[in-house]
Amino acid sequence: MGVLDGVWPRWSADVGLVALTCLPPLLSQPYVDTSGVAWWSLVGCEAVTVAVLVLRRRLPVTAFVAGLGALVAALVGSAGQDAKLTPLIFLPLAVLLYNLGSYRTSWVRTVLAMLGGGALIAIGLGVNQLTADAGEFRGGLDILASLAPMPLSWVMGFAARTRRVLLAAAEQRVADADRAQRLQAAQAAQRERARIAREMHDVVAHSLTLLVVHAETLRARGDELPDWARTQIDGLAAAGRQTGGELRDLLRMLRDPAEAAPLQPVPGLGELDVLLNSHRAAGGSVEVHVGTELERLPHPVQLAGYRIVQESLANARRHAPGAPVRLTLDAAAGQLRFEVVNGRAARRGTAGAGVGLGLVSMRERVDALGGELTAGPTGDGGFRVEATMPLETADV
């Protein structure tokens, strides 16, 4: 919050209002009456005016009654001593009436304040008639002429208050409409997530279940298969079960993101050996160079790194089967660096394999952690994926 929204502007407004209200009577009094009685009456009234102007927002009714009482006392007292005050002494009364209309607490208190003010004026006129010796110091039409425009000040204050209420109501309606729009968008997004979850369950989960069932069937007849086939079937069944568990977690998160909790631990770099062994079991070779303690890395970095290695190895099996793969992980200068490089394919890759979203997904994961990812072919016919992710910003 800046200075414009703090306490200083309100105090500066009060200082400015006091100056504009109290200085004109003081400046004009020498042209009306320079007697000591006039000056003391004016200064006493101004002192009360300063106090009630400072308290006008907190106590609007009290400030009005006190200010009017001080004004009546100053006018009656000076007239009784044959002294005359400047007509600008009525200026604070206009400000207090505006404030009463702008900050009134209830109609009952406002009406009572008006009646009390009228009674003070009537009492002051009565006392003035009894105490003033000369007719020129007795209030009459001149007092009524000064008081006649005062109700307009209250009307202006009431109009200002009404405008504030209307603006607040309009802002509330805008806020309610914005909340309703966000709620509708959230509901639409939830319905779309539920639809996607149903489609994934009906299509992907069904096919994956069939894959695992066929793999388990082949495992049951493993004595009829060669050794290399039994190893491949074991890896296929294990990968199918792991993918099935992750898919169930994903479907639960799509249906209800607020209550979804993983049914199994989220993978991290601690499971890197299992991932590499599954790649080797599928006929691939991996050379690993690790220059940091993987278990101590922030969990978001571990998850992103696991997915990067997983997708890179899968791409190597699809597009460069039989090619050697080199994996390098190293932490330096507050960043973790991944590099996965595969050589030239030993045999033709699977035609049409993949849908082209693997690199997009990896880049989105790295960007979300404030890192960078580069991927492209190497000069010897291979492919390199390199990612760097900061460790500090990821540990949140």
Side-chain angles (χ1 to χ4, degrees):
M1 185 174 355
V3 175
L4 293 178
D5 298 325
V7 178
W8 164 246
R10 174 165 289 189
W11 279 106
S12 62
D14 288 342
V15 171
L17 180 63
V18 168
L20 292 175
T21 305
C22 297
L23 285 180
L26 294 174
L27 296 175
S28 64
Q29 184 61 38
Y31 301 97
V32 178
D33 189 349
T34 59
S35 64
V37 174
W39 277 111
W40 280 111
S41 299
L42 179 61
V43 171
C45 181
E46 295 279 75
V48 177
T49 298
V50 172
V52 297
L53 286 178
V54 172
L55 299 174
R56 70 189 188 282
R57 297 189 187 93
R58 193 175 302 175
L59 302 170
V61 174
T62 303
F64 167 72
V65 174
L68 179 58
L71 175 62
V72 171
L75 290 173
V76 172
S78 61
Q81 299 294 323
D82 296 336
K84 190 174 183 179
L85 298 182
T86 173
L88 292 181
I89 198 172
F90 287 92
L91 186 59
L93 180 61
V95 175
L96 294 173
L97 277 170
Y98 176 90
N99 181 77
L100 183 63
S102 181
Y103 292 98
R104 69 166 180 84
T105 55
S106 67
W107 281 107
V108 175
R109 298 191 65 185
T110 299
V111 172
L112 291 176
M114 293 294 187
L115 293 177
L120 285 175
I121 294 173
I123 293 172
L125 288 174
V127 175
N128 174 252
Q129 294 293 326
L130 297 175
T131 58
D133 296 331
E136 60 177 322
F137 295 107
R138 292 176 180 174
L141 294 177
D142 56 339
I143 298 295
L144 296 178
S146 300
L147 293 176
M150 292 300 169
L152 293 177
S153 300
W154 180 88
V155 172
M156 293 175 61
F158 181 76
R161 180 181 182 275
T162 303
R163 181 175 178 272
R164 290 199 303 269
V165 172
L166 292 176
L167 287 177
E171 291 175 355
Q172 185 62 42
R173 288 195 297 270
V174 171
D176 292 341
D178 184 59
R179 283 194 297 269
Q181 185 177 9
R182 290 199 300 267
L183 179 60
Q184 291 177 357
Q187 291 174 344
Q190 180 58 37
R191 289 194 296 270
E192 182 65 15
R193 285 195 296 265
R195 186 190 66 81
I196 295 174
R198 289 193 299 268
E199 294 295 329
M200 291 182 64
H201 179 271
D202 294 341
V203 178
V204 181
H206 177 70
S207 300
L208 186 61
T209 301
L210 288 178
L211 178 64
V212 175
V213 169
H214 289 315
E216 294 294 346
T217 301
L218 290 175
R219 288 183 65 186
R221 303 178 61 180
D223 54 346
E224 303 177 14
L225 300 175
D227 293 339
W228 66 267
R230 284 197 297 269
T231 304
Q232 297 288 343
I233 292 300
D234 291 341
L236 180 62
R241 285 192 299 270
Q242 179 183 359
T243 305
E246 295 179 359
L247 181 60
R248 285 192 297 271
D249 291 341
L250 178 60
L251 294 179
R252 293 176 67 246
M253 184 178 66
L254 284 173
R255 289 193 177 97
D256 192 354
E259 299 182 2
L263 297 177
Q264 56 186 7
V266 178
L269 294 178
E271 291 77 31
L272 186 60
D273 290 339
V274 178
L275 182 62
L276 298 177
N277 291 334
S278 65
H279 178 75
R280 296 186 180 101
S285 61
V286 186
E287 179 183 352
V288 182
H289 301 278
V290 178
T292 185
E293 297 183 21
L294 302 180
E295 291 78 5
R296 301 182 60 180
L297 296 175
H299 186 72
V301 171
Q302 290 202 41
L303 176 59
Y306 181 90
R307 294 304 185 192
I308 291 172
V309 175
Q310 185 182 42
E311 182 64 26
S312 299
L313 295 178
N315 287 337
R317 290 195 298 271
R318 294 190 193 103
H319 305 291
V325 179
R326 184 179 73 254
L327 170 62
T328 304
L329 291 89
D330 189 20
Q335 289 188 331
L336 182 66
R337 176 176 171 270
F338 289 84
E339 185 183 48
V340 185
V341 183
N342 63 265
R344 184 188 298 272
R347 55 185 181 275
R348 183 181 296 275
T350 304
V355 294
L357 296 179
L359 290 177
V360 175
S361 177
M362 286 191 291
R363 182 167 285 107
E364 289 176 347
R365 288 182 180 274
V366 174
D367 290 344
L369 296 176
E372 296 181 0
L373 183 139
T374 58
T378 60
D380 58 355
F383 197 83
R384 174 187 288 109
V385 175
E386 184 176 0
T388 58
M389 290 176 286
L391 299 179
E392 294 183 0
T393 57
D395 196 15
V396 295

